[in-house]
Amino acid sequence: MAYPSSYYAATANDASPILPLKGEVSADVCVIGAGYTGLSAALHLAERGYKVTVLEAERIGWGASGRNGGQLGVGQRKDQRELEKRLGREWAHRLWDLGVESN
Ligand SMILES: Cc1cc2nc3c(=O)[nH]c(=O)nc-3n(C[C@H](O)[C@H](O)[C@H](O)COP(=O)(O)OP(=O)(O)OC[C@H]3O[C@@H](n4cnc5c(N)ncnc54)[C@H](O)[C@@H]3O)c2cc1C
């Protein structure tokens, strides 16, 4: 199936289609979905020695990961002052640090 029209699809290298899984496969962990979340989880698990299988219904990067704007931000979609009011200073700061660490 072709990717939906996007910058990523227009500039991607040609990749041969990955054939559907047939028969039985055994793994320590089965990850459903090959977007950023699933691929990152699979990579980190594999690096720790787990045998991982990733199942994707469409194609790698088919979902939001293959259509986003590519902007990096450290915030949590809520103003830091609002987070402090709702969660307290310590947890608001932890959320900020989490965002910084993930970039
Ligand atoms: C238009 C748009 C713009 C965005 N812009 C930005 C931005 O600028 N900066 C930013 O940081 N974030 C942005 N985002 C958000 C970001 O793209 C997403 O948070 C991120 O890609 C989510 O990744 P994901 O792996 O969790 O989900 P997805 O990338 O959606 O991956 C989920 C995958 O699971 C597969 N799947 C679903 N159900 C099944 C099933 N039952 N079996 C097998 N496979 C299945 C789907 O086909 C898909 O490939 C944007 C999102 C959109 C839609």
Side-chain angles (χ1 to χ4, degrees):
M1 188 180 290
Y3 284 106
S5 169
S6 71
Y7 169 80
Y8 303 109
T11 58
N13 294 328
D14 275 340
S16 353
I18 297 172
L19 298 175
L21 180 69
K22 286 198 176 134
E24 280 185 29
V25 169
S26 73
D28 299 316
V29 181
C30 178
V31 174
I32 311 291
Y36 295 147
T37 309
L39 291 176
S40 173
L43 178 64
H44 282 90
L45 286 162
E47 284 173 349
R48 284 163 178 74
Y50 292 94
K51 187 176 175 211
V52 186
T53 296
V54 179
L55 294 180
E56 166 55 50
E58 304 286 347
R59 297 190 69 180
I60 291 170
W62 175 264
S65 301
R67 309 167 195 229
N68 66 54
Q71 296 166 62
L72 294 178
V74 294
Q76 302 289 339
R77 292 181 184 248
K78 294 283 176 202
D79 181 75
Q80 199 62 19
R81 278 171 299 208
E82 187 185 331
L83 289 176
E84 283 191 19
K85 251 192 251 163
R86 288 170 67 165
L87 307 170
R89 196 173 162 79
E90 188 194 334
W91 282 101
H93 277 229
R94 283 196 194 184
L95 277 174
W96 177 264
D97 290 343
L98 189 71
V100 171
E101 200 182 311
S102 71
N103 273 278

